[in-house]
């Protein structure tokens, strides 16, 4: 009987110690939280958004692939030529376009690599201006490096860009189309950070573009789902191999004044499975973490990360890169 009591007491002690150790470990993780998962996701998605923007610019200027038959105006002439990008249209008659990046530094960003565009069912008459047209987007060592400190993000893999509304940026900029709507989806996009760690992302977003006062504005929503969650803009594994989700709370908005990598508003919740707290990310804030109103000559500093564990709350303010 006495032996049984000793065993029970030891078991209870072990459970208590285990619980205490686990609780202390989670508390330490909370204290050490640096918002890395949010920073990585923001960097990758910002550069992905920017690439999609360049894709729209390039495809609208290719009549064979866009299906445009009227007008001599060029989209690049309005938005400005895409810095450091050359277009190889030698296979445009087959529905294929290559965007090549030569390493020129623009806006503190240096881009190298290639993006291949292929219109699905081009041979049967599909053109980018058609509602429902799907374009395969292949990234080949597409790398963006921040010139100021050498930090980089490299995308490799395949996505699918779908023209939901129909029309091209030519129709938006010159013919008065009120908006253009498209989606970008794809699985297992390899995202390498700083030539070291690699994450695997499944980016699923809906874009609504508008044009007013010579400013292009994009509203991004999450359309993905995983493990019972919806409105996901991204999910997959972090650079450390941990499963995560990024769920849109309010749409993420960027414009050509500040760039795709610097949203002016929006909110997402990021949850890493190995952590007992989520990261709430509020975009478009100043260095103090307060929302800002963007003017013609001003852009936000970054985003505010808020995380809560039990009765504790931590906030971080991170700058766009």
């Amino acid at each position: 009987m006495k032996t049984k009591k000793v065993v029970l007491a030891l078991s209870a002690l072990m459970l208590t110690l285990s619980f205490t150790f686990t609780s202390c470990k989670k508390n330490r993780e909370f204290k050490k939280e640096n918002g890395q998962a949010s920073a990585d996701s923001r960097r990758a998605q910002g550069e992905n958004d920017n690439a999609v923007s360049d894709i729209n610019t390039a495809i609208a200027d290719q009549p064979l692939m866009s299906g445009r038959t009227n007008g001599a105006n060029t989209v690049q002439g309005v938005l400005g030529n895409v810095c450091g990008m050359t277009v190889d249209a030698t296979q445009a008659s087959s529905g294929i376009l290559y965007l090549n990046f030569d390493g020129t530094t623009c806006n503190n960003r240096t881009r190298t690599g290639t993006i291949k565009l292929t219109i699905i069912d081009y041979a049967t008459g599909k053109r980018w201006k058609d509602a429902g047209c799907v374009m395969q987007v292949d990234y080949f060592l597409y790398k963006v490096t921040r010139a100021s400190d050498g930090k980089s993000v490299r995308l490799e893999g395949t996505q699918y860009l779908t023209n939901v509304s129909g029309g091209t940026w030519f129709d938006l900029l010159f013919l008065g189309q009120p908006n253009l709507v498209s989606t970008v989806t794809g699985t297992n996009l390899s995202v390498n950070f700083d030539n070291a760690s690699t994450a695997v992302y499944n980016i699923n977003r809906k874009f609504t573009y508008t044009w007013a006062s010579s400013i292009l504005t994009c509203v991004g929503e999450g359309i993905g789902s995983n493990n019972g969650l919806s409105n996901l803009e991204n999910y997959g594994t972090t650079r450390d191999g941990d499963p995560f989700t990024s769920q849109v709370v309010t749409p993420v908005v960027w414009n050509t004044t500040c760039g795709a990598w610097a949203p002016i508003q929006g909110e997402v919740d990021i949850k890493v499975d190995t952590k007992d707290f989520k990261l709430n990310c509020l975009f478009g804030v100043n260095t103090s973490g307060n929302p800002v109103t963007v003017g013609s000559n001003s852009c936000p500093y970054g985003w505010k990360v808020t995380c809560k564990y039990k009765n504790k709350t931590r906030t971080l303010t991170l700058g766009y890169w």
Side-chain angles (χ1 to χ4, degrees):
M1 187 70 177
K2 194 178 288 186
T3 301
K4 185 176 181 181
K5 288 182 178 179
V6 171
V7 171
L8 289 173
L10 287 174
S11 297
L13 177 61
M14 292 299 293
L15 285 172
T16 301
L17 290 174
S18 176
F19 176 79
T20 302
F21 175 77
T22 301
S23 180
C24 289
K25 181 181 179 182
K26 290 178 179 178
N27 191 48
R28 286 197 300 270
E29 289 178 349
F30 175 73
K31 290 181 178 179
K32 292 191 302 181
E33 178 58 51
N34 60 3
Q36 187 66 60
S38 72
D40 286 350
S41 186
R42 183 64 253 147
R43 285 169 63 185
Q45 290 191 104
E47 294 306 335
N48 191 208
D49 285 6
N50 193 59
V52 171
S53 174
D54 290 342
I55 288 167
N56 274 294
T57 299
I59 204 74
D61 279 339
Q62 297 295 323
L64 287 176
M65 293 179 66
S66 68
R68 174 165 64 87
T69 58
N70 60 330
N73 294 326
T74 66
V75 173
Q76 290 193 19
V78 174
L79 296 178
N81 292 330
V82 178
C83 182
M85 183 183 84
T86 57
V87 177
D88 179 354
T90 54
Q91 298 184 57
S93 60
S94 299
I96 298 172
L97 202 67
Y98 289 90
L99 311 182
N100 299 311
F101 299 86
D102 61 14
T104 301
T105 299
C106 320
N107 298 317
N108 194 35
R109 296 158 60 257
T110 304
R111 296 193 288 176
T112 56
T114 297
I115 301 175
K116 178 185 177 183
L117 311 178
T118 305
I119 290 182
I120 306 300
D121 294 328
Y122 182 86
T124 60
K126 281 289 185 181
R127 298 297 181 266
W128 182 240
K129 68 178 179 62
D130 300 330
C133 183
V134 178
M135 187 188 324
Q136 181 173 319
V137 180
D138 295 301
Y139 297 91
F140 298 103
L141 296 175
Y142 177 71
K143 182 178 179 181
V144 185
T145 303
R146 186 163 60 185
S148 58
D149 58 12
K151 290 185 177 295
S152 64
V153 56
R154 187 180 73 233
L155 308 181
E156 292 185 79
T158 299
Q159 292 183 316
Y160 292 91
L161 190 60
T162 301
N163 189 340
V164 176
S165 63
T168 72
W169 281 15
F170 182 86
D171 301 278
L172 182 69
L173 303 184
F174 300 112
L175 301 182
Q177 183 163 323
N179 59 54
L180 290 176
V181 181
S182 61
T183 62
V184 61
T185 59
T187 58
N188 299 325
L189 186 68
S190 175
V191 184
N192 178 271
F193 297 99
D194 308 324
N195 299 317
S197 304
T198 300
V200 177
Y201 285 175
N202 302 285
I203 295 176
N204 295 269
R205 306 189 74 197
K206 174 184 175 183
F207 302 115
T208 301
Y209 299 98
T210 56
W211 174 257
S213 302
S214 299
I215 296 175
L216 182 74
T217 299
C218 177
V219 177
E221 303 171 68
I223 58 172
S225 59
N226 186 56
N227 288 337
L229 293 176
S230 58
N231 301 324
L232 299 182
E233 60 170 6
N234 192 11
Y235 65 90
T237 55
T238 68
R239 62 163 69 191
D240 297 319
D242 299 321
F244 82 98
T245 57
S246 179
Q247 186 176 40
V248 175
V249 178
T250 59
V252 178
V253 182
W254 61 265
N255 62 25
T256 47
T257 300
C258 299
W261 50 89
I264 58 176
Q265 64 185 67
E267 185 179 2
V268 302
D269 282 338
I270 294 179
K271 180 67 174 69
V272 180
D273 281 7
T274 56
K275 300 177 180 180
D276 276 5
F277 52 89
K278 62 185 177 182
L279 308 178
N280 176 263
C281 305
L282 180 66
F283 300 111
V285 303
N286 58 21
T287 54
S288 298
N290 299 316
V292 298
T293 300
V294 176
S296 58
N297 297 311
S298 64
C299 291
Y301 167 76
W303 73 100
K304 181 172 70 173
V305 179
T306 303
C307 48
K308 297 180 180 180
Y309 178 66
K310 295 184 176 179
N311 61 342
K312 300 176 182 178
T313 300
R314 288 195 65 204
T315 59
L316 307 166
T317 301
L318 305 178
Y320 296 133
W321 82 305

